[in-house]
Amino acid sequence: MSNSSECETCIVIAIAGASASGKSLIASTIYQELKEELGKDDIGIISEDSYYRDQSHLAMEERVKTNYDHPNSMDHALLVTHLQALKKGQPVDIPEYDYTEHNRKQSVIHFSPKKVIILEGILLLTDEHIRNEIDVSIFVDAPLDICFIRRLNRDMQERGRTLESVVSQYSKTVRPMFLQFVQPSKQYADIIVPKGGKNRIAINILKAQIKQLLKHHK
Ligand code: CTP
């Protein structure tokens, strides 16, 4: 997939993998460290979760039934439109997501074009149109039992969930959709990163690759 994008103005790095595999930790580590070298206006992170479809028309008891691990739960077309606009040098308004409400917030984040855009999300590599916009694709390959433990802790502490709801959602949708969609999308990754978000060597290699690509984009 490397160099498949027609991007002249920015580099797009996609970080996919199971829920709670450590995608956002890799993304934020690369962001923090490259920000020092590039400047904060030249690098940014976009989370695929921002593109969950608006569910304002649904009551809460309906929203909890949505399968949030199926590609249809995401407005990937809007993400592609935003990436294409950013590559043309146009700013975009990215929806903000509220996991407690299972819905978009009223507010948006104004995102200006950057030299480096880091995308992170479970289903990014399942969509051909997104893949066409990506310069480097990464799949974080952490063991599923570790991912589940992390997800349980996170969802109870940060996303307002009960133990029962996390376990039920995991067995009904998270695990089956991982097997059906997320895991097969590993075939599209340029780099498979084991050991989750604390893999220092993988992060160093990714930073070096981004800097290498930036040289060619100048
Ligand atoms: N999700 C949910 N309820 C919603 C919307 C999304 O439970 N209303 C869950 C989906 O089930 C999906 C997960 O959010 O599995 C996607 O977020 P995840 O990848 O777990 O979070 P990140 O912080 O992006 O990933 P990581 O922990 O790997 O950094």
Side-chain angles (χ1 to χ4, degrees):
M1 192 173 313
S2 305
N3 304 324
S4 64
S5 148
E6 293 176 0
C7 167
E8 295 296 333
T9 52
C10 71
I11 295 159
V12 180
I13 314 293
I15 306 178
S19 169
S21 56
K23 303 177 296 294
S24 51
L25 182 57
I26 295 189
S28 63
T29 305
I30 294 174
Y31 170 78
Q32 289 299 337
E33 295 181 12
L34 281 185
K35 189 179 77 172
E36 306 296 321
E37 296 175 43
L38 301 175
K40 74 172 171 46
D41 293 333
D42 283 334
I43 182 164
I45 300 176
I46 298 178
S47 171
E48 187 188 30
D49 294 5
S50 302
Y51 294 85
Y52 275 116
R53 292 185 193 282
D54 183 70
Q55 300 204 111
S56 308
H57 57 292
L58 295 178
M60 191 59 163
E61 56 265 33
E62 292 303 315
R63 289 183 205 164
V64 293
K65 293 182 197 159
T66 300
N67 180 347
Y68 294 101
D69 291 79
H70 192 286
N72 290 349
S73 63
M74 305 267 186
D75 188 351
H76 277 160
L78 181 63
L79 172 56
V80 171
T81 304
H82 281 180
L83 291 173
Q84 290 171 343
L86 288 164
K87 288 177 182 189
K88 287 184 200 145
Q90 299 160 357
V92 296
D93 285 334
I94 299 179
E96 276 199 272
Y97 195 68
D98 185 337
Y99 298 94
T100 312
E101 293 294 322
H102 300 280
N103 202 14
R104 284 184 185 171
K105 294 183 186 176
Q106 297 289 335
S107 50
V108 292
I109 294 174
H110 192 69
F111 193 95
S112 55
K114 317 269 186 239
K115 283 186 188 160
V116 179
I117 295 170
I118 306 174
L119 291 177
E120 69 91 12
I122 52 173
L123 293 161
L124 290 170
L125 300 183
T126 65
D127 188 308
E128 185 188 358
H129 303 289
I130 297 176
R131 293 200 302 270
N132 289 339
E133 303 299 331
I134 292 169
D135 294 277
V136 181
S137 55
I138 294 143
F139 190 96
V140 185
D141 205 10
L144 275 194
D145 55 347
I146 304 289
C147 295
F148 175 73
I149 293 167
R150 285 205 204 115
R151 180 172 169 125
L152 183 62
N153 286 326
R154 180 199 63 198
D155 283 6
M156 291 180 68
Q157 283 164 21
E158 298 171 21
R159 295 188 182 178
R161 308 290 166 88
T162 62
L163 178 115
E164 293 73 20
S165 77
V166 177
V167 170
S168 162
Q169 186 189 11
Y170 189 81
S171 53
K172 280 189 193 139
T173 56
V174 180
R175 190 171 190 283
M177 297 300 104
F178 172 80
L179 296 175
Q180 188 176 345
F181 295 106
V182 183
Q183 191 171 52
S185 75
K186 196 195 315 191
Q187 68 186 294
Y188 300 112
D190 296 312
I191 305 170
I192 295 168
V193 174
K195 295 190 282 188
K198 291 190 179 153
N199 186 329
R200 188 66 241 176
I201 292 177
I203 288 166
N204 288 348
I205 290 171
L206 288 167
K207 280 169 58 189
Q209 178 62 43
I210 293 169
K211 285 195 238 173
Q212 182 68 24
L213 286 172
L214 278 173
K215 277 190 201 160
H216 295 294
H217 278 254
K218 272 180 188 162

Tab-separated table of all heavy atoms in Angstrom, residues 17-26 47-49 52 55 63 67-69 74 97-103 120-122 140 150-151 154-155 159 161 169 173-174, ligand 1:
chain	number	residue	atom	x	y	z
A	17	GLY	N	-6.284	-2.307	14.131
A	17	GLY	CA	-6.082	-3.411	15.073
A	17	GLY	C	-7.290	-3.540	15.984
A	17	GLY	O	-8.206	-2.709	15.938
A	18	ALA	N	-7.279	-4.571	16.811
A	18	ALA	CA	-8.428	-4.846	17.685
A	18	ALA	C	-8.718	-3.686	18.627
A	18	ALA	O	-7.837	-2.869	18.912
A	18	ALA	CB	-8.134	-6.106	18.516
A	19	SER	N	-9.941	-3.657	19.120
A	19	SER	CA	-10.298	-2.700	20.165
A	19	SER	C	-9.365	-2.894	21.362
A	19	SER	O	-9.116	-4.025	21.790
A	19	SER	CB	-11.741	-2.946	20.594
A	19	SER	OG	-12.024	-2.216	21.763
A	20	ALA	N	-8.856	-1.764	21.878
A	20	ALA	CA	-7.978	-1.759	23.069
A	20	ALA	C	-6.664	-2.514	22.846
A	20	ALA	O	-6.083	-3.054	23.788
A	20	ALA	CB	-8.717	-2.286	24.296
A	21	SER	N	-6.203	-2.532	21.614
A	21	SER	CA	-4.920	-3.180	21.307
A	21	SER	C	-3.735	-2.239	21.530
A	21	SER	O	-2.584	-2.682	21.514
A	21	SER	CB	-4.904	-3.679	19.853
A	21	SER	OG	-5.171	-2.610	18.966
A	22	GLY	N	-4.014	-0.956	21.697
A	22	GLY	CA	-2.928	0.008	21.910
A	22	GLY	C	-2.726	0.973	20.752
A	22	GLY	O	-1.709	1.663	20.675
A	23	LYS	N	-3.730	1.077	19.874
A	23	LYS	CA	-3.630	1.956	18.707
A	23	LYS	C	-3.427	3.417	19.122
A	23	LYS	O	-2.566	4.107	18.590
A	23	LYS	CB	-4.899	1.860	17.842
A	23	LYS	CG	-5.224	0.472	17.376
A	23	LYS	CD	-6.522	0.438	16.588
A	23	LYS	CE	-7.756	0.821	17.388
A	23	LYS	NZ	-8.100	-0.114	18.463
A	24	SER	N	-4.264	3.873	20.062
A	24	SER	CA	-4.191	5.295	20.410
A	24	SER	C	-2.901	5.622	21.157
A	24	SER	O	-2.391	6.735	21.049
A	24	SER	CB	-5.421	5.765	21.195
A	24	SER	OG	-5.666	4.923	22.262
A	25	LEU	N	-2.325	4.632	21.869
A	25	LEU	CA	-1.047	4.888	22.553
A	25	LEU	C	0.074	5.050	21.517
A	25	LEU	O	0.899	5.968	21.627
A	25	LEU	CB	-0.717	3.755	23.536
A	25	LEU	CG	0.581	3.937	24.335
A	25	LEU	CD1	0.574	5.252	25.115
A	25	LEU	CD2	0.794	2.766	25.287
A	26	ILE	N	0.086	4.193	20.506
A	26	ILE	CA	1.100	4.349	19.443
A	26	ILE	C	0.908	5.700	18.750
A	26	ILE	O	1.863	6.451	18.540
A	26	ILE	CB	1.015	3.206	18.410
A	26	ILE	CG1	1.378	1.872	19.073
A	26	ILE	CG2	1.942	3.476	17.215
A	26	ILE	CD1	1.532	0.712	18.119
A	47	SER	N	-9.261	10.187	14.892
A	47	SER	CA	-9.767	8.891	15.338
A	47	SER	C	-10.962	8.484	14.473
A	47	SER	O	-11.869	9.288	14.231
A	47	SER	CB	-10.197	8.984	16.810
A	47	SER	OG	-10.863	7.805	17.165
A	48	GLU	N	-10.929	7.238	14.035
A	48	GLU	CA	-12.063	6.712	13.245
A	48	GLU	C	-13.366	6.802	14.043
A	48	GLU	O	-14.445	6.969	13.464
A	48	GLU	CB	-11.770	5.248	12.881
A	48	GLU	CG	-12.761	4.605	11.937
A	48	GLU	CD	-12.511	3.104	11.788
A	48	GLU	OE1	-12.020	2.464	12.742
A	48	GLU	OE2	-12.826	2.567	10.719
A	49	ASP	N	-13.259	6.706	15.370
A	49	ASP	CA	-14.467	6.752	16.207
A	49	ASP	C	-15.248	8.069	16.033
A	49	ASP	O	-16.453	8.111	16.287
A	49	ASP	CB	-14.106	6.576	17.698
A	49	ASP	CG	-13.544	5.190	17.998
A	49	ASP	OD1	-13.350	4.413	17.055
A	49	ASP	OD2	-13.288	4.904	19.186
A	52	TYR	N	-18.354	7.610	13.799
A	52	TYR	CA	-19.572	6.834	14.060
A	52	TYR	C	-20.767	7.663	13.619
A	52	TYR	O	-20.790	8.886	13.797
A	52	TYR	CB	-19.688	6.494	15.564
A	52	TYR	CG	-18.929	5.252	15.956
A	52	TYR	CD1	-17.869	5.307	16.836
A	52	TYR	CD2	-19.277	4.014	15.418
A	52	TYR	CE1	-17.159	4.154	17.180
A	52	TYR	CE2	-18.575	2.865	15.757
A	52	TYR	CZ	-17.525	2.939	16.637
A	52	TYR	OH	-16.832	1.802	16.955
A	55	GLN	N	-26.689	9.367	15.768
A	55	GLN	CA	-27.829	8.536	16.214
A	55	GLN	C	-28.841	9.360	17.007
A	55	GLN	O	-29.591	8.810	17.817
A	55	GLN	CB	-27.314	7.377	17.071
A	55	GLN	CG	-26.349	6.460	16.332
A	55	GLN	CD	-26.294	5.067	16.933
A	55	GLN	OE1	-26.738	4.091	16.338
A	55	GLN	NE2	-25.771	4.993	18.133
A	63	ARG	N	-29.967	2.954	20.821
A	63	ARG	CA	-28.545	3.207	20.545
A	63	ARG	C	-27.655	2.111	21.131
A	63	ARG	O	-26.654	1.752	20.531
A	63	ARG	CB	-28.112	4.545	21.164
A	63	ARG	CG	-28.685	5.743	20.458
A	63	ARG	CD	-28.154	7.008	21.089
A	63	ARG	NE	-29.055	8.120	20.878
A	63	ARG	CZ	-29.008	9.252	21.548
A	63	ARG	NH1	-28.094	9.449	22.482
A	63	ARG	NH2	-29.861	10.206	21.285
A	67	ASN	N	-24.538	-2.230	16.544
A	67	ASN	CA	-23.291	-2.994	16.446
A	67	ASN	C	-22.164	-2.024	16.057
A	67	ASN	O	-21.999	-1.689	14.884
A	67	ASN	CB	-23.447	-4.095	15.399
A	67	ASN	CG	-22.189	-4.924	15.233
A	67	ASN	OD1	-21.132	-4.541	15.717
A	67	ASN	ND2	-22.307	-6.047	14.550
A	68	TYR	N	-21.414	-1.576	17.069
A	68	TYR	CA	-20.384	-0.551	16.856
A	68	TYR	C	-19.081	-1.120	16.304
A	68	TYR	O	-18.093	-0.404	16.186
A	68	TYR	CB	-20.117	0.205	18.163
A	68	TYR	CG	-21.303	1.010	18.606
A	68	TYR	CD1	-22.154	0.546	19.612
A	68	TYR	CD2	-21.609	2.221	17.996
A	68	TYR	CE1	-23.266	1.272	20.008
A	68	TYR	CE2	-22.721	2.955	18.379
A	68	TYR	CZ	-23.544	2.465	19.384
A	68	TYR	OH	-24.653	3.186	19.747
A	69	ASP	N	-19.083	-2.404	16.001
A	69	ASP	CA	-17.879	-3.030	15.459
A	69	ASP	C	-18.070	-3.473	14.013
A	69	ASP	O	-17.191	-4.112	13.432
A	69	ASP	CB	-17.463	-4.193	16.370
A	69	ASP	CG	-16.975	-3.639	17.695
A	69	ASP	OD1	-17.830	-3.273	18.538
A	69	ASP	OD2	-15.769	-3.501	17.866
A	74	MET	N	-20.069	3.106	10.809
A	74	MET	CA	-19.189	4.267	10.572
A	74	MET	C	-19.569	4.984	9.286
A	74	MET	O	-19.889	4.333	8.287
A	74	MET	CB	-17.740	3.790	10.365
A	74	MET	CG	-17.188	2.947	11.455
A	74	MET	SD	-16.342	4.012	12.617
A	74	MET	CE	-15.646	2.766	13.689
A	97	TYR	N	-17.180	12.602	19.381
A	97	TYR	CA	-18.017	11.451	19.753
A	97	TYR	C	-18.127	11.317	21.263
A	97	TYR	O	-17.176	11.588	22.000
A	97	TYR	CB	-17.438	10.171	19.150
A	97	TYR	CG	-18.442	9.048	19.186
A	97	TYR	CD1	-19.575	9.096	18.391
A	97	TYR	CD2	-18.293	7.976	20.059
A	97	TYR	CE1	-20.529	8.090	18.445
A	97	TYR	CE2	-19.240	6.962	20.114
A	97	TYR	CZ	-20.355	7.037	19.302
A	97	TYR	OH	-21.299	6.044	19.369
A	98	ASP	N	-19.294	10.884	21.725
A	98	ASP	CA	-19.543	10.681	23.153
A	98	ASP	C	-19.950	9.218	23.371
A	98	ASP	O	-21.066	8.825	23.019
A	98	ASP	CB	-20.663	11.641	23.601
A	98	ASP	CG	-20.891	11.569	25.100
A	98	ASP	OD1	-20.548	10.531	25.711
A	98	ASP	OD2	-21.413	12.549	25.656
A	99	TYR	N	-19.027	8.413	23.931
A	99	TYR	CA	-19.286	6.976	24.133
A	99	TYR	C	-20.362	6.737	25.184
A	99	TYR	O	-21.002	5.695	25.187
A	99	TYR	CB	-18.008	6.253	24.566
A	99	TYR	CG	-16.894	6.307	23.555
A	99	TYR	CD1	-15.917	7.289	23.632
A	99	TYR	CD2	-16.824	5.382	22.527
A	99	TYR	CE1	-14.887	7.344	22.703
A	99	TYR	CE2	-15.811	5.420	21.591
A	99	TYR	CZ	-14.844	6.408	21.682
A	99	TYR	OH	-13.835	6.458	20.759
A	100	THR	N	-20.525	7.684	26.113
A	100	THR	CA	-21.535	7.510	27.152
A	100	THR	C	-22.929	7.656	26.557
A	100	THR	O	-23.844	6.911	26.889
A	100	THR	CB	-21.314	8.561	28.263
A	100	THR	OG1	-19.937	8.558	28.605
A	100	THR	CG2	-22.136	8.244	29.489
A	101	GLU	N	-23.055	8.605	25.620
A	101	GLU	CA	-24.354	8.853	24.974
A	101	GLU	C	-24.545	7.998	23.719
A	101	GLU	O	-25.610	8.015	23.114
A	101	GLU	CB	-24.453	10.332	24.569
A	101	GLU	CG	-24.523	11.301	25.740
A	101	GLU	CD	-25.812	11.125	26.546
A	101	GLU	OE1	-26.864	10.883	25.939
A	101	GLU	OE2	-25.737	11.206	27.787
A	102	HIS	N	-23.517	7.272	23.303
A	102	HIS	CA	-23.555	6.505	22.049
A	102	HIS	C	-23.960	7.409	20.888
A	102	HIS	O	-24.771	7.040	20.036
A	102	HIS	CB	-24.551	5.336	22.138
A	102	HIS	CG	-24.233	4.346	23.207
A	102	HIS	ND1	-23.288	3.362	23.065
A	102	HIS	CD2	-24.743	4.188	24.457
A	102	HIS	CE1	-23.231	2.638	24.169
A	102	HIS	NE2	-24.098	3.110	25.037
A	103	ASN	N	-23.391	8.598	20.857
A	103	ASN	CA	-23.814	9.543	19.820
A	103	ASN	C	-22.768	10.625	19.601
A	103	ASN	O	-21.878	10.811	20.438
A	103	ASN	CB	-25.141	10.202	20.235
A	103	ASN	CG	-25.901	10.764	19.055
A	103	ASN	OD1	-25.609	10.464	17.897
A	103	ASN	ND2	-26.882	11.593	19.348
A	120	GLU	N	-6.346	6.566	13.472
A	120	GLU	CA	-6.360	5.327	14.264
A	120	GLU	C	-7.788	4.827	14.419
A	120	GLU	O	-8.705	5.606	14.626
A	120	GLU	CB	-5.627	5.507	15.600
A	120	GLU	CG	-6.282	6.393	16.625
A	120	GLU	CD	-7.204	5.660	17.567
A	120	GLU	OE1	-7.177	4.416	17.591
A	120	GLU	OE2	-7.980	6.330	18.267
A	121	GLY	N	-7.969	3.492	14.244
A	121	GLY	CA	-9.307	2.931	14.392
A	121	GLY	C	-9.367	1.472	13.959
A	121	GLY	O	-8.551	1.019	13.156
A	122	ILE	N	-10.345	0.752	14.501
A	122	ILE	CA	-10.415	-0.701	14.299
A	122	ILE	C	-10.660	-1.092	12.845
A	122	ILE	O	-10.144	-2.091	12.370
A	122	ILE	CB	-11.499	-1.361	15.207
A	122	ILE	CG1	-12.856	-0.666	15.063
A	122	ILE	CG2	-11.052	-1.391	16.643
A	122	ILE	CD1	-13.995	-1.376	15.814
A	140	VAL	N	-1.862	-3.273	14.673
A	140	VAL	CA	-1.362	-3.585	16.016
A	140	VAL	C	-1.905	-4.949	16.408
A	140	VAL	O	-3.125	-5.164	16.433
A	140	VAL	CB	-1.801	-2.508	17.041
A	140	VAL	CG1	-1.169	-2.799	18.401
A	140	VAL	CG2	-1.427	-1.123	16.564
A	150	ARG	N	-7.930	-4.873	28.932
A	150	ARG	CA	-7.784	-3.411	28.804
A	150	ARG	C	-9.134	-2.753	28.524
A	150	ARG	O	-9.471	-1.717	29.061
A	150	ARG	CB	-6.834	-3.075	27.651
A	150	ARG	CG	-5.398	-3.300	27.952
A	150	ARG	CD	-4.570	-2.369	27.028
A	150	ARG	NE	-3.254	-2.927	26.880
A	150	ARG	CZ	-2.738	-3.383	25.738
A	150	ARG	NH1	-3.430	-3.319	24.624
A	150	ARG	NH2	-1.536	-3.868	25.696
A	151	ARG	N	-9.898	-3.394	27.643
A	151	ARG	CA	-11.182	-2.804	27.262
A	151	ARG	C	-12.138	-2.769	28.448
A	151	ARG	O	-12.846	-1.784	28.665
A	151	ARG	CB	-11.800	-3.603	26.113
A	151	ARG	CG	-13.142	-3.021	25.676
A	151	ARG	CD	-13.674	-3.664	24.430
A	151	ARG	NE	-15.045	-3.269	24.220
A	151	ARG	CZ	-15.525	-2.704	23.129
A	151	ARG	NH1	-14.745	-2.465	22.120
A	151	ARG	NH2	-16.805	-2.381	23.040
A	154	ARG	N	-11.045	0.031	30.736
A	154	ARG	CA	-11.288	1.341	30.127
A	154	ARG	C	-12.773	1.659	30.036
A	154	ARG	O	-13.205	2.756	30.398
A	154	ARG	CB	-10.680	1.382	28.721
A	154	ARG	CG	-10.900	2.709	28.026
A	154	ARG	CD	-10.736	2.625	26.538
A	154	ARG	NE	-11.713	1.758	25.920
A	154	ARG	CZ	-11.593	1.243	24.698
A	154	ARG	NH1	-10.519	1.509	23.986
A	154	ARG	NH2	-12.535	0.480	24.182
A	155	ASP	N	-13.566	0.714	29.555
A	155	ASP	CA	-14.983	1.003	29.353
A	155	ASP	C	-15.702	1.280	30.678
A	155	ASP	O	-16.620	2.097	30.743
A	155	ASP	CB	-15.667	-0.146	28.594
A	155	ASP	CG	-15.352	-0.105	27.098
A	155	ASP	OD1	-14.537	0.731	26.683
A	155	ASP	OD2	-15.940	-0.918	26.346
A	159	ARG	N	-15.880	5.025	29.925
A	159	ARG	CA	-17.001	5.092	28.978
A	159	ARG	C	-18.341	4.770	29.634
A	159	ARG	O	-19.328	4.484	28.947
A	159	ARG	CB	-16.739	4.178	27.780
A	159	ARG	CG	-15.524	4.633	26.949
A	159	ARG	CD	-15.353	3.868	25.645
A	159	ARG	NE	-14.167	4.291	24.917
A	159	ARG	CZ	-13.751	3.771	23.759
A	159	ARG	NH1	-14.442	2.801	23.192
A	159	ARG	NH2	-12.663	4.201	23.157
A	161	ARG	N	-19.568	2.236	31.464
A	161	ARG	CA	-20.192	0.934	31.224
A	161	ARG	C	-20.131	0.065	32.484
A	161	ARG	O	-19.235	0.208	33.311
A	161	ARG	CB	-19.472	0.194	30.084
A	161	ARG	CG	-19.300	0.998	28.800
A	161	ARG	CD	-20.602	1.239	28.060
A	161	ARG	NE	-20.470	2.271	27.045
A	161	ARG	CZ	-20.095	2.046	25.795
A	161	ARG	NH1	-19.790	0.818	25.411
A	161	ARG	NH2	-20.020	3.034	24.928
A	169	GLN	N	-21.486	-7.152	25.340
A	169	GLN	CA	-21.142	-6.545	24.042
A	169	GLN	C	-19.945	-7.263	23.417
A	169	GLN	O	-19.906	-7.492	22.204
A	169	GLN	CB	-20.806	-5.056	24.237
A	169	GLN	CG	-20.579	-4.313	22.930
A	169	GLN	CD	-20.034	-2.905	23.144
A	169	GLN	OE1	-19.627	-2.542	24.249
A	169	GLN	NE2	-20.043	-2.112	22.085
A	173	THR	N	-20.854	-8.798	19.816
A	173	THR	CA	-20.423	-8.059	18.616
A	173	THR	C	-18.908	-7.848	18.510
A	173	THR	O	-18.343	-8.049	17.437
A	173	THR	CB	-21.109	-6.669	18.514
A	173	THR	OG1	-20.847	-5.933	19.708
A	173	THR	CG2	-22.593	-6.798	18.295
A	174	VAL	N	-18.228	-7.458	19.603
A	174	VAL	CA	-16.820	-7.047	19.480
A	174	VAL	C	-15.964	-8.194	18.944
A	174	VAL	O	-15.241	-8.052	17.952
A	174	VAL	CB	-16.252	-6.537	20.831
A	174	VAL	CG1	-14.787	-6.119	20.670
A	174	VAL	CG2	-17.088	-5.382	21.359
B	1	CTP	N1	-17.827	1.513	20.979
B	1	CTP	C1	-18.760	1.331	21.990
B	1	CTP	N2	-19.836	2.163	22.076
B	1	CTP	C2	-20.014	3.156	21.188
B	1	CTP	C3	-19.080	3.351	20.145
B	1	CTP	C4	-17.989	2.504	20.074
B	1	CTP	O1	-18.617	0.423	22.814
B	1	CTP	N3	-21.082	3.936	21.301
B	1	CTP	C5	-16.683	0.612	20.905
B	1	CTP	C6	-16.799	-0.382	19.752
B	1	CTP	O2	-17.344	-1.563	20.257
B	1	CTP	C7	-15.346	-0.552	19.264
B	1	CTP	C8	-14.555	0.454	20.098
B	1	CTP	O3	-15.504	1.334	20.669
B	1	CTP	O4	-14.877	-1.867	19.481
B	1	CTP	C9	-13.553	1.265	19.262
B	1	CTP	O5	-12.694	1.955	20.113
B	1	CTP	P1	-11.284	1.300	20.511
B	1	CTP	O6	-10.601	0.866	19.274
B	1	CTP	O7	-11.494	0.278	21.563
B	1	CTP	O8	-10.564	2.517	21.203
B	1	CTP	P2	-9.183	3.211	20.858
B	1	CTP	O9	-8.817	4.075	22.034
B	1	CTP	O10	-9.301	3.880	19.548
B	1	CTP	O11	-8.203	1.970	20.691
B	1	CTP	P3	-6.932	1.470	21.504
B	1	CTP	O12	-7.412	1.056	22.851
B	1	CTP	O13	-6.405	0.346	20.654
B	1	CTP	O14	-5.991	2.617	21.630
